[in-house]
Amino acid sequence: MKKKENHTLLKPLIDRMSSAVRLKNPAVVTKQIKKDLEELIQNGQLNLPSEFKIPQSSCYARRLLHQDEELGFVIVAMTWGPGQKTQLHDHAGIWCVEGVIEGEMSVTQYELIEKKKNLFKFVKRDVIRAGVGGAGALIPPHEHHILANALKDQPSVTLHVYGGEINRCNVFVSKVNGWYEREECELNYHH
């Protein structure tokens, strides 16, 4: 599903993301996007339309801001109600940069250390609290984490720039002793 973006509000963001993606190398691209997102957010130059900031009661909301036909990258806004979070998940082998626009997020990073058929063993590595203007990057194979709204009384809003469309990912359901079972998860956009 494509969403017609408000070009006036998003043009500086889209222009800078396009320039970064043209750098091709994922490590260089994500470093530049992270720098650009932090700067745009901290300088108050990233203004999302208000409809992209409304939380949903059932789960965090994913809303498509821009899908670039030429370069293939996608920009998604996510709104997190108080206490909402993801399961441990991957990014389907696609790089991503995530920045906090409003509120505060907790990011728990995991490292995959072993796998046996459909079972995966992870070790929790870092827990990062990111406030407004904070950004981080994921480059496969280091792409496993849990995102959570760190605030218990108000929503948080994040912006995600992906190297391509992600309509499916793997989530990992905890079993025992650091082992998780993989399940495929379909991702949808909300209105």
Side-chain angles (χ1 to χ4, degrees):
M1 172 180 114
K2 292 176 113 179
K3 176 82 176 169
K4 183 174 171 44
E5 62 270 345
N6 182 326
H7 288 286
T8 306
L9 291 176
L10 300 176
K11 185 169 179 7
L13 171 68
I14 293 167
D15 289 349
R16 288 180 74 170
M17 299 304 101
S18 296
S19 294
V21 171
R22 284 188 173 92
L23 298 171
K24 305 256 190 245
N25 178 312
V28 175
V29 169
T30 55
K31 183 178 180 180
Q32 185 62 50
I33 289 176
K34 181 179 179 298
K35 179 180 176 284
D36 288 344
L37 273 184
E38 289 171 342
E39 187 177 300
L40 286 167
I41 295 168
Q42 291 169 3
N43 291 338
Q45 296 173 293
L46 185 54
N47 300 303
L48 291 183
S50 59
E51 66 265 22
F52 287 90
K53 297 179 181 183
I54 301 168
Q56 293 200 136
S57 59
S58 59
C59 66
Y60 66 93
R62 292 179 80 238
R63 296 182 174 106
L64 181 63
L65 281 173
H66 177 74
Q67 184 170 20
D68 195 280
E69 296 293 329
E70 176 192 351
L71 299 170
F73 72 92
V74 176
I75 304 173
V76 177
M78 293 188 192
T79 308
W80 308 79
Q84 289 180 340
K85 66 180 186 173
T86 67
Q87 292 179 279
L88 175 58
H89 66 281
D90 66 16
H91 281 211
I94 296 173
W95 61 257
C96 176
V97 179
E98 304 164 337
V100 180
I101 297 173
E102 292 182 10
E104 188 173 335
M105 296 293 292
S106 171
V107 182
T108 307
Q109 299 170 328
Y110 288 81
E111 181 180 349
L112 175 62
I113 58 169
E114 188 178 350
K115 76 180 195 179
K116 295 178 184 174
K117 296 186 182 180
N118 200 42
L119 290 175
F120 297 75
K121 188 161 194 169
F122 289 97
V123 174
K124 186 189 323 186
R125 289 295 179 209
D126 293 317
V127 178
I128 300 163
R129 283 184 73 117
V132 174
L138 296 168
I139 302 173
H142 306 288
E143 60 180 318
H144 302 95
H145 66 178
I146 294 173
L147 295 176
N149 182 353
L151 303 175
K152 301 298 180 210
D153 59 351
Q154 67 185 55
S156 291
V157 180
T158 55
L159 189 82
H160 303 250
V161 182
Y162 297 104
E165 179 67 62
I166 296 182
N167 51 23
R168 284 187 160 66
C169 72
N170 292 306
V171 296
F172 299 88
V173 179
S174 182
K175 293 300 176 191
V176 62
N177 296 329
W179 286 96
Y180 292 75
E181 186 172 30
R182 178 178 61 192
E183 295 179 2
E184 189 172 280
C185 177
E186 184 176 335
L187 300 173
N188 297 302
Y189 292 114
H190 302 96
H191 299 284

